[in-house]
Protein backbone atom coordinates (compact mmCIF):
# COMPACT_ATOMS: atom_id res chain seq x y z
CA UNK A 1 0.00 0.00 0.00
CA UNK A 2 1.37 3.45 -0.86
CA UNK A 3 2.28 5.74 1.99
CA UNK A 4 0.13 8.77 2.76
CA UNK A 5 2.15 11.53 4.40
CA UNK A 6 0.68 14.47 6.27
CA UNK A 7 1.56 16.63 3.28
CA UNK A 8 2.95 16.29 -0.23
CA UNK A 9 5.07 18.96 -1.88
CA UNK A 10 3.48 20.71 -4.83
CA UNK A 11 5.66 20.56 -7.94
CA UNK A 12 5.49 22.56 -11.16
CA UNK A 13 5.70 20.66 -14.44
CA UNK A 14 9.17 19.25 -14.99
CA UNK A 15 9.43 20.91 -18.42
CA UNK A 16 8.50 24.33 -17.06
CA UNK A 17 11.14 24.14 -14.32
CA UNK A 18 13.86 22.93 -16.70
CA UNK A 19 13.02 25.62 -19.24
CA UNK A 20 13.29 28.30 -16.58
CA UNK A 21 16.62 27.13 -15.13
CA UNK A 22 18.21 26.69 -18.61
CA UNK A 23 19.57 30.31 -18.76
CA UNK A 24 21.57 29.64 -15.58
CA UNK A 25 23.90 27.45 -17.69
CA UNK A 26 24.66 30.58 -19.72
CA UNK A 27 24.81 33.28 -17.06
CA UNK A 28 26.40 31.09 -14.34
CA UNK A 29 24.78 33.47 -11.86
CA UNK A 30 23.52 30.86 -9.40
CA UNK A 31 23.01 32.88 -6.23
CA UNK A 32 23.84 36.31 -4.69
CA UNK A 33 20.61 38.15 -5.48
CA UNK A 34 20.35 37.15 -9.15
CA UNK A 35 17.58 37.89 -11.62
CA UNK A 36 15.22 35.24 -10.29
CA UNK A 37 15.76 36.31 -6.68
CA UNK A 38 14.82 39.87 -7.60
CA UNK A 39 11.84 38.77 -9.68
CA UNK A 40 10.50 36.56 -6.89
CA UNK A 41 10.75 39.40 -4.36
CA UNK A 42 8.66 41.59 -6.67
CA UNK A 43 6.05 38.89 -7.34
CA UNK A 44 5.75 37.87 -3.69
CA UNK A 45 5.28 41.48 -2.58
CA UNK A 46 2.38 41.75 -5.01
CA UNK A 47 0.84 38.39 -4.08
CA UNK A 48 1.16 38.92 -0.32
CA UNK A 49 0.07 42.55 -0.58
CA UNK A 50 2.97 43.81 1.52
CA UNK A 51 5.03 47.00 1.08
CA UNK A 52 8.47 45.42 1.71
CA UNK A 53 9.87 41.91 1.55
CA UNK A 54 13.30 40.31 1.92
CA UNK A 55 13.87 36.76 0.67
CA UNK A 56 15.82 34.38 2.88
CA UNK A 57 17.37 30.92 2.66
CA UNK A 58 14.63 29.47 4.91
CA UNK A 59 11.91 30.44 7.35
CA UNK A 60 14.02 29.90 10.42
CA UNK A 61 16.79 32.27 9.32
CA UNK A 62 14.12 34.76 8.28
CA UNK A 63 12.82 34.70 11.86
CA UNK A 64 16.28 34.83 13.42
CA UNK A 65 17.23 37.81 11.26
CA UNK A 66 13.94 39.64 11.71
CA UNK A 67 14.52 39.45 15.48
CA UNK A 68 18.22 40.29 15.18
CA UNK A 69 17.45 43.33 13.02
CA UNK A 70 15.57 44.88 15.97
CA UNK A 71 18.83 45.14 18.01
CA UNK A 72 17.36 44.13 21.36
CA UNK A 73 19.70 44.21 24.38
CA UNK A 74 21.06 40.76 25.27
CA UNK A 75 18.93 38.91 27.81
CA UNK A 76 15.76 40.88 27.07
CA UNK A 77 12.45 39.06 27.37
CA UNK A 78 10.24 38.07 24.45
CA UNK A 79 6.67 36.94 25.05
CA UNK A 80 5.80 34.01 22.80
CA UNK A 81 3.77 30.83 22.46
CA UNK A 82 5.00 27.32 23.30
CA UNK A 83 2.48 25.83 20.84
CA UNK A 84 4.61 26.10 17.70
CA UNK A 85 7.43 24.53 15.76
CA UNK A 86 10.68 24.66 17.79
CA UNK A 87 12.08 27.11 15.25
CA UNK A 88 10.10 29.96 16.84
CA UNK A 89 11.65 29.43 20.27
CA UNK A 90 15.10 28.65 18.85
CA UNK A 91 15.11 31.94 16.92
CA UNK A 92 14.52 33.84 20.18
CA UNK A 93 17.08 31.90 22.22
CA UNK A 94 19.74 31.96 19.48
CA UNK A 95 19.44 35.77 19.56
CA UNK A 96 20.42 35.58 23.25
CA UNK A 97 16.96 36.64 24.33
CA UNK A 98 14.76 34.98 26.94
CA UNK A 99 11.48 33.41 25.81
CA UNK A 100 8.57 34.07 28.16
CA UNK A 101 5.85 31.55 27.38
CA UNK A 102 2.23 32.61 27.31
CA UNK A 103 -0.70 30.18 27.27
CA UNK A 104 -2.93 29.85 24.18
CA UNK A 105 -6.62 30.13 23.31
CA UNK A 106 -8.58 26.87 23.49
CA UNK A 107 -10.45 27.52 20.23
CA UNK A 108 -7.80 28.72 17.78
CA UNK A 109 -4.57 27.71 19.59
CA UNK A 110 -2.94 31.12 19.06
CA UNK A 111 -1.38 33.10 21.92
CA UNK A 112 -3.95 34.21 24.54
CA UNK A 113 -3.68 37.97 24.10
CA UNK A 114 -5.49 38.55 27.42
CA UNK A 115 -2.57 36.98 29.28
CA UNK A 116 0.21 38.93 27.57
CA UNK A 117 0.08 42.03 29.77
CA UNK A 118 0.49 39.98 32.94
CA UNK A 119 3.82 38.67 31.59
CA UNK A 120 5.32 42.06 30.73
CA UNK A 121 8.28 43.19 32.86
CA UNK A 122 10.78 46.03 32.53
CA UNK A 123 12.92 43.63 30.45
CA UNK A 124 10.23 42.83 27.89
CA UNK A 125 11.10 44.05 24.40
CA UNK A 126 8.92 42.10 21.99
CA UNK A 127 6.05 39.72 21.32
CA UNK A 128 6.52 36.81 18.90
CA UNK A 129 3.09 35.29 18.24
CA UNK A 130 2.37 32.51 15.72
CA UNK A 131 -0.60 32.28 13.32
CA UNK A 132 -0.70 28.56 14.07
CA UNK A 133 -2.37 26.35 11.38
CA UNK A 134 -3.17 29.62 9.62
CA UNK A 135 -5.43 30.73 12.49
CA UNK A 136 -4.91 34.45 12.79
CA UNK A 137 -3.82 35.81 16.20
CA UNK A 138 -5.78 38.59 17.86
CA UNK A 139 -3.74 41.15 15.95
CA UNK A 140 -5.75 44.15 17.19
CA UNK A 141 -5.30 43.34 20.86
CA UNK A 142 -1.62 42.50 20.37
CA UNK A 143 -1.04 45.78 18.54
CA UNK A 144 -2.74 47.72 21.32
CA UNK A 145 -0.60 46.10 24.03
CA UNK A 146 2.58 46.55 21.99
CA UNK A 147 1.74 50.21 21.47
CA UNK A 148 1.03 50.79 25.15
CA UNK A 149 4.33 49.24 26.31
CA UNK A 150 6.54 50.14 23.34
CA UNK A 151 7.11 46.51 22.32
CA UNK A 152 8.00 45.20 18.87
CA UNK A 153 5.79 42.52 17.34
CA UNK A 154 7.29 39.91 15.04
CA UNK A 155 4.75 37.42 13.71
CA UNK A 156 5.71 33.88 12.83
CA UNK A 157 3.42 33.66 9.78
CA UNK A 158 4.94 30.44 8.48
CA UNK A 159 1.49 28.79 8.51
CA UNK A 160 -0.35 31.76 7.04
CA UNK A 161 1.05 32.18 3.53
CA UNK A 162 -1.44 33.93 1.25
CA UNK A 163 -3.93 34.64 4.02
CA UNK A 164 -5.58 37.99 4.47
CA UNK A 165 -7.26 39.48 7.51
CA UNK A 166 -9.73 42.32 7.12
CA UNK A 167 -8.72 42.43 3.44
CA UNK A 168 -5.04 43.09 4.25
CA UNK A 169 -2.22 40.67 3.59
CA UNK A 170 -1.33 38.95 6.86
CA UNK A 171 2.30 40.05 6.38
CA UNK A 172 1.23 43.67 6.92
CA UNK A 173 0.66 43.16 10.63
CA UNK A 174 3.26 43.79 13.30
CA UNK A 175 6.73 45.28 12.86
CA UNK A 176 7.73 42.25 10.81
CA UNK A 177 6.19 39.00 9.70
CA UNK A 178 8.02 35.84 8.74
CA UNK A 179 7.12 33.19 6.15
CA UNK A 180 8.60 29.78 5.42
CA UNK A 181 8.82 28.40 1.89
CA UNK A 182 9.90 24.93 3.03
CA UNK A 183 8.97 22.03 0.77
CA UNK A 184 6.15 21.03 3.14
CA UNK A 185 4.38 24.40 3.13
CA UNK A 186 1.42 25.74 1.11
CA UNK A 187 3.90 27.61 -1.12
CA UNK A 188 7.51 26.48 -1.37
CA UNK A 189 10.90 27.17 -2.92
CA UNK A 190 12.29 23.76 -1.77
CA UNK A 191 13.89 25.64 1.14
CA UNK A 192 13.24 29.31 1.56
CA UNK A 193 11.57 32.06 3.50
CA UNK A 194 10.93 35.77 3.70
CA UNK A 195 10.50 38.67 6.08
CA UNK A 196 7.75 41.19 5.30
CA UNK A 197 7.56 44.66 6.89
CA UNK A 198 6.61 48.25 6.24
CA UNK A 199 9.62 50.16 7.62
CA UNK A 200 11.85 50.52 4.54
CA UNK A 201 14.96 50.92 6.70
CA UNK A 202 14.61 47.26 7.64
CA UNK A 203 15.38 46.16 4.08
CA UNK A 204 19.00 47.27 4.28
CA UNK A 205 19.42 45.82 7.80
CA UNK A 206 18.10 42.44 6.64
CA UNK A 207 20.20 42.62 3.48
CA UNK A 208 23.33 43.11 5.60
CA UNK A 209 22.35 40.27 7.92
CA UNK A 210 21.74 37.83 5.07
CA UNK A 211 24.82 38.83 3.05
CA UNK A 212 27.76 39.21 5.48
CA UNK A 213 27.15 42.96 5.85
CA UNK A 214 28.69 43.41 2.40
CA UNK A 215 27.70 46.70 0.75
CA UNK A 216 30.43 46.86 -1.87
CA UNK A 217 33.52 44.97 -3.08
CA UNK A 218 35.63 46.66 -0.44
CA UNK A 219 32.95 47.71 2.00
CA UNK A 220 31.72 45.53 4.85
CA UNK A 221 29.44 47.52 7.14
CA UNK A 222 28.04 44.89 9.50
CA UNK A 223 28.59 41.49 11.06
CA UNK A 224 26.11 39.60 8.93
CA UNK A 225 25.61 35.91 8.31
CA UNK A 226 24.72 34.16 5.06
CA UNK A 227 21.03 33.55 4.50
CA UNK A 228 20.55 34.31 0.80
CA UNK A 229 18.10 32.41 -1.36
CA UNK A 230 19.78 30.82 -4.40
CA UNK A 231 18.52 31.04 -7.97
CA UNK A 232 17.31 27.43 -8.26
CA UNK A 233 15.13 27.94 -5.20
CA UNK A 234 13.85 31.24 -6.59
CA UNK A 235 12.92 29.51 -9.87
CA UNK A 236 10.97 26.88 -7.96
CA UNK A 237 9.12 29.74 -6.27
CA UNK A 238 8.41 31.51 -9.57
CA UNK A 239 6.99 28.27 -10.99
CA UNK A 240 4.90 27.50 -7.89
CA UNK A 241 3.49 30.96 -7.20
CA UNK A 242 1.02 31.05 -10.12
CA UNK A 243 -0.36 27.69 -8.88
CA UNK A 244 -0.95 28.74 -5.27
CA UNK A 245 -4.53 29.97 -5.61
CA UNK A 246 -5.56 26.82 -7.46
CA UNK A 247 -3.83 24.68 -4.84
CA UNK A 248 -5.52 26.54 -1.99
CA UNK A 249 -8.85 25.85 -3.67
CA UNK A 250 -8.03 22.12 -3.95
CA UNK A 251 -7.09 22.14 -0.26
CA UNK A 252 -10.34 23.93 0.58
CA UNK A 253 -12.42 21.33 -1.26
CA UNK A 254 -10.67 18.56 0.63
CA UNK A 255 -10.89 20.30 4.00
CA UNK A 256 -14.61 20.83 3.54
CA UNK A 257 -15.10 17.22 2.46
CA UNK A 258 -13.24 16.07 5.60
CA UNK A 259 -15.61 18.21 7.69
CA UNK A 260 -18.61 16.49 6.08
CA UNK A 261 -17.08 13.03 6.43
CA UNK A 262 -16.35 13.64 10.12
CA UNK A 263 -19.91 14.67 10.93
CA UNK A 264 -21.19 12.62 13.85
CA UNK A 265 -17.81 11.37 15.08
CA UNK A 266 -18.25 11.79 18.80
CA UNK A 267 -15.82 13.84 20.85
CA UNK A 268 -13.68 14.97 17.94
CA UNK A 269 -13.10 18.73 17.71
CA UNK A 270 -12.81 19.79 14.08
CA UNK A 271 -11.02 22.84 12.70
CA UNK A 272 -13.03 26.00 12.04
CA UNK A 273 -12.30 27.42 8.59
CA UNK A 274 -14.97 30.11 8.72
CA UNK A 275 -13.37 32.76 10.84
CA UNK A 276 -14.55 36.30 10.43
CA UNK A 277 -12.67 38.50 7.94
CA UNK A 278 -10.07 35.79 7.22
CA UNK A 279 -9.10 34.37 3.85
CA UNK A 280 -7.79 30.92 4.76
CA UNK A 281 -5.06 28.89 3.08
CA UNK A 282 -6.22 25.47 4.34
CA UNK A 283 -2.65 24.49 5.11
CA UNK A 284 -3.49 22.02 7.87
CA UNK A 285 -6.33 19.88 9.16
CA UNK A 286 -5.85 19.67 12.95
CA UNK A 287 -8.33 17.69 15.05
CA UNK A 288 -8.57 17.43 18.83
CA UNK A 289 -9.16 13.94 20.18
CA UNK A 290 -11.10 13.33 23.43
CA UNK A 291 -7.90 12.52 25.32
CA UNK A 292 -4.22 11.83 24.90
CA UNK A 293 -4.59 8.05 24.90
CA UNK A 294 -7.11 8.15 22.06
CA UNK A 295 -4.93 10.63 20.13
CA UNK A 296 -1.95 8.32 20.37
CA UNK A 297 -4.10 5.32 19.43
CA UNK A 298 -5.48 7.12 16.36
CA UNK A 299 -1.92 8.07 15.38
CA UNK A 300 -0.75 4.47 15.76
CA UNK A 301 -3.72 2.95 13.95
CA UNK A 302 -3.26 5.33 11.02
CA UNK A 303 0.44 4.46 10.92
CA UNK A 304 -0.35 0.77 10.73
CA UNK A 305 -2.28 1.54 7.57
CA UNK A 306 0.64 3.56 6.15
CA UNK A 307 -1.03 6.88 6.91
CA UNK A 308 1.32 9.31 8.62
CA UNK A 309 -0.48 11.95 10.65
CA UNK A 310 1.60 14.26 12.85
CA UNK A 311 1.43 15.30 16.48
CA UNK A 312 1.90 18.99 15.63
CA UNK A 313 2.76 20.43 18.11
CA UNK A 314 3.80 17.89 20.68
CA UNK A 315 5.68 18.33 22.89
CA UNK A 316 5.34 22.06 23.53
CA UNK A 317 8.59 23.88 22.74
CA UNK A 318 8.86 24.72 26.46
CA UNK A 319 9.06 20.95 27.01
CA UNK A 320 11.64 20.26 24.31
CA UNK A 321 14.55 18.36 25.83
CA UNK A 322 16.82 21.39 25.37
CA UNK A 323 14.47 23.75 27.26
CA UNK A 324 12.55 21.49 29.64
CA UNK A 325 14.89 21.97 32.59
CA UNK A 326 14.06 25.68 32.62
CA UNK A 327 10.47 25.80 31.46
CA UNK A 328 8.70 22.46 32.06
CA UNK A 329 6.78 23.65 35.10
CA UNK A 330 5.08 26.72 33.68
CA UNK A 331 1.27 26.93 34.02
CA UNK A 332 0.53 26.47 30.31
CA UNK A 333 -2.58 24.41 30.96
CA UNK A 334 -4.45 24.95 27.71
CA UNK A 335 -1.35 24.58 25.58
CA UNK A 336 -0.53 21.33 27.42
CA UNK A 337 -4.01 19.94 26.86
CA UNK A 338 -4.14 20.88 23.17
CA UNK A 339 -0.64 19.56 22.60
CA UNK A 340 -1.57 16.20 24.15
CA UNK A 341 -4.77 15.74 22.16
CA UNK A 342 -4.08 17.35 18.78
CA UNK A 343 -3.40 15.44 15.60
CA UNK A 344 -2.78 16.92 12.16
CA UNK A 345 -4.30 14.76 9.43
CA UNK A 346 -3.05 14.50 5.83
CA UNK A 347 -4.15 17.44 3.67
CA UNK A 348 -2.69 18.49 0.33
CA UNK A 349 -3.97 19.46 -3.10
CA UNK A 350 -3.58 16.00 -4.65
CA UNK A 351 -4.94 14.02 -1.69
CA UNK A 352 -7.29 11.33 -3.02
CA UNK A 353 -10.84 11.21 -1.72
CA UNK A 354 -10.58 7.45 -1.17
CA UNK A 355 -7.60 8.04 1.08
CA UNK A 356 -9.52 10.65 3.04
CA UNK A 357 -12.30 8.09 3.53
CA UNK A 358 -9.73 5.64 4.91
CA UNK A 359 -8.42 8.31 7.30
CA UNK A 360 -11.91 9.14 8.54
CA UNK A 361 -12.83 5.46 8.89
CA UNK A 362 -9.77 4.71 11.04
CA UNK A 363 -10.28 7.79 13.23
CA UNK A 364 -13.97 6.97 13.72
CA UNK A 365 -13.31 3.30 14.52
CA UNK A 366 -10.56 4.13 17.00
CA UNK A 367 -12.60 6.73 18.85
CA UNK A 368 -15.62 4.42 19.02
CA UNK A 369 -13.52 1.49 20.29
CA UNK A 370 -11.60 3.58 22.83
CA UNK A 371 -14.81 5.30 23.92
CA UNK A 372 -16.37 1.92 24.70
CA UNK A 373 -13.31 0.92 26.74
CA UNK A 374 -13.48 4.16 28.77
C1 LIG B 1 8.14 25.76 8.93
C2 LIG B 1 8.10 26.62 10.12
C3 LIG B 1 9.22 27.35 10.57
C4 LIG B 1 10.60 27.19 9.98
O1 LIG B 1 10.67 27.36 8.63
P1 LIG B 1 11.83 26.64 7.78
O2 LIG B 1 11.64 27.20 6.40
O3 LIG B 1 11.61 25.17 7.84
O4 LIG B 1 13.14 27.05 8.36
C5 LIG B 1 9.07 28.20 11.65
N1 LIG B 1 7.90 28.33 12.29
C6 LIG B 1 6.80 27.64 11.92
C7 LIG B 1 5.52 27.84 12.66
C8 LIG B 1 6.87 26.75 10.84
O5 LIG B 1 5.79 26.04 10.50
Amino acid sequence: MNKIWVTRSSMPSYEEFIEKIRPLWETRWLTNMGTYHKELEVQLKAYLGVPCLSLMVNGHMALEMAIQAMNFPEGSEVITTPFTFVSTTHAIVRNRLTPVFCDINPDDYTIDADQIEGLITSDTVAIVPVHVYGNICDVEKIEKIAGRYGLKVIYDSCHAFGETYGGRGIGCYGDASVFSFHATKVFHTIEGGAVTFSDEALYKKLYNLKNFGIQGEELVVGVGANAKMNEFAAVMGLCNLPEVEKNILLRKERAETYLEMFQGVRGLQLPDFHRKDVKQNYGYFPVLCPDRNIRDQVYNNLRQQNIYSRKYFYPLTSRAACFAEKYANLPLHIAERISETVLVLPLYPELEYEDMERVVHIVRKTIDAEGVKA
Side-chain angles (χ1 to χ4, degrees):
M1 212 186 303
N2 61 325
K3 290 191 160 116
I4 309 290
W5 303 104
V6 72
T7 190
R8 187 166 192 259
S9 299
S10 300
M11 297 284 268
S13 90
Y14 174 75
E15 289 74 22
E16 185 192 355
F17 185 75
I18 294 302
E19 209 42 56
K20 232 176 159 88
I21 59 172
R22 197 183 298 279
L24 297 176
W25 269 259
E26 296 292 324
T27 64
R28 303 291 165 122
W29 194 299
L30 308 185
T31 183
N32 286 15
M33 281 60 86
T35 325
Y36 290 129
H37 182 285
K38 291 192 180 114
E39 195 179 327
L40 186 58
E41 279 196 352
V42 171
Q43 289 197 19
L44 279 172
K45 261 198 299 199
Y47 178 77
L48 295 173
V50 293
C52 307
L53 178 144
S54 179
L55 276 181
M56 294 281 171
V57 68
N58 58 49
H60 176 80
M61 289 311 286
L63 190 52
E64 255 194 58
M65 304 211 144
I67 295 171
Q68 198 179 349
M70 307 284 168
N71 286 317
F72 299 126
E74 189 172 330
S76 304
E77 294 176 2
V78 176
I79 297 170
T80 189
T81 168
F83 191 69
T84 181
F85 184 45
V86 282
S87 167
T88 319
T89 306
H90 283 352
I92 295 167
V93 174
R94 288 172 53 80
N95 270 294
R96 298 178 177 275
L97 302 168
T98 304
V100 174
F101 294 104
C102 182
D103 209 351
I104 60 173
N105 298 313
D107 53 341
D108 65 10
Y109 323 134
T110 65
I111 194 164
D112 181 353
D114 289 329
Q115 294 196 39
I116 292 176
E117 259 184 300
L119 297 170
I120 294 175
T121 72
S122 55
D123 288 328
T124 309
V125 289
I127 309 171
V128 176
V130 180
H131 302 303
V132 67
Y133 310 130
N135 295 340
I136 304 307
C137 299
D138 190 339
V139 292
E140 286 98 0
K141 208 171 273 172
I142 290 169
E143 188 177 315
K144 225 178 262 168
I145 296 167
R148 197 175 306 145
Y149 293 89
L151 309 177
K152 298 282 186 194
V153 181
I154 300 139
Y155 282 105
D156 181 336
S157 302
C158 289
H159 286 188
F161 184 85
E163 296 198 337
T164 63
Y165 175 66
R168 283 174 85 202
I170 200 60
C172 295
Y173 292 89
D175 295 279
S177 197
V178 170
F179 295 89
S180 163
F181 309 147
H182 185 257
T184 54
K185 306 280 156 95
V186 167
F187 163 80
H188 79 89
T189 61
I190 310 170
E191 293 263 11
V195 186
T196 64
F197 45 94
S198 35
D199 173 12
E200 276 175 44
L202 253 189
Y203 191 86
K204 201 165 185 181
K205 282 189 195 161
L206 290 168
Y207 187 97
N208 285 335
L209 286 173
K210 76 176 175 186
N211 190 35
F212 309 104
I214 294 174
Q215 280 292 326
E217 270 184 47
E218 299 179 12
L219 181 64
V220 178
V221 297
V223 189
N226 178 4
K228 308 183 297 288
M229 177 181 284
N230 73 63
E231 289 291 88
F232 286 76
V235 167
M236 183 58 94
L238 288 167
C239 291
N240 281 335
L241 193 56
E243 303 295 316
V244 166
E245 283 299 312
K246 189 190 77 193
N247 284 334
I248 288 177
L249 203 65
L250 292 168
R251 287 174 172 279
K252 177 177 197 263
E253 287 167 5
R254 281 155 182 77
E256 283 174 354
T257 303
Y258 259 145
L259 290 176
E260 283 167 25
M261 289 176 170
F262 274 119
Q263 280 312 309
V265 178
R266 285 176 300 136
L268 194 69
Q269 190 175 317
L270 299 169
D272 177 4
F273 293 109
H274 300 281
R275 295 176 193 274
K276 198 165 166 292
D277 296 330
V278 177
K279 177 188 176 256
Q280 293 273 351
N281 69 11
Y282 299 88
Y284 300 87
F285 197 89
V287 297
L288 290 194
C289 297
D291 63 37
R292 179 188 184 145
N293 173 46
I294 295 178
R295 189 275 302 267
D296 292 347
Q297 204 53 51
V298 171
Y299 171 87
N300 291 336
N301 290 350
L302 286 168
R303 247 184 108 96
Q304 269 174 10
Q305 299 296 318
N306 275 333
I307 299 167
Y308 294 83
S309 64
R310 293 295 303 265
K311 298 174 193 176
Y312 290 146
F313 289 101
Y314 175 85
L316 297 177
T317 66
S318 52
R319 285 191 177 272
C322 55
F323 299 127
E325 211 174 301
K326 268 188 174 153
Y327 302 112
N329 296 317
L330 297 174
L332 302 165
H333 304 301
I334 298 185
E336 299 282 3
R337 176 173 66 81
I338 305 294
S339 170
E340 287 175 356
T341 55
V342 74
L343 199 62
V344 173
L345 301 177
L347 179 64
Y348 46 85
E350 297 158 298
L351 181 61
E352 304 280 355
Y353 284 85
E354 298 89 88
D355 290 328
M356 291 169 56
E357 272 167 4
R358 284 172 53 214
V359 170
V360 175
H361 178 72
I362 294 165
V363 174
R364 184 195 300 271
K365 246 179 63 178
T366 310
I367 290 186
D368 283 352
E370 295 296 318
V372 169
K373 252 192 254 170

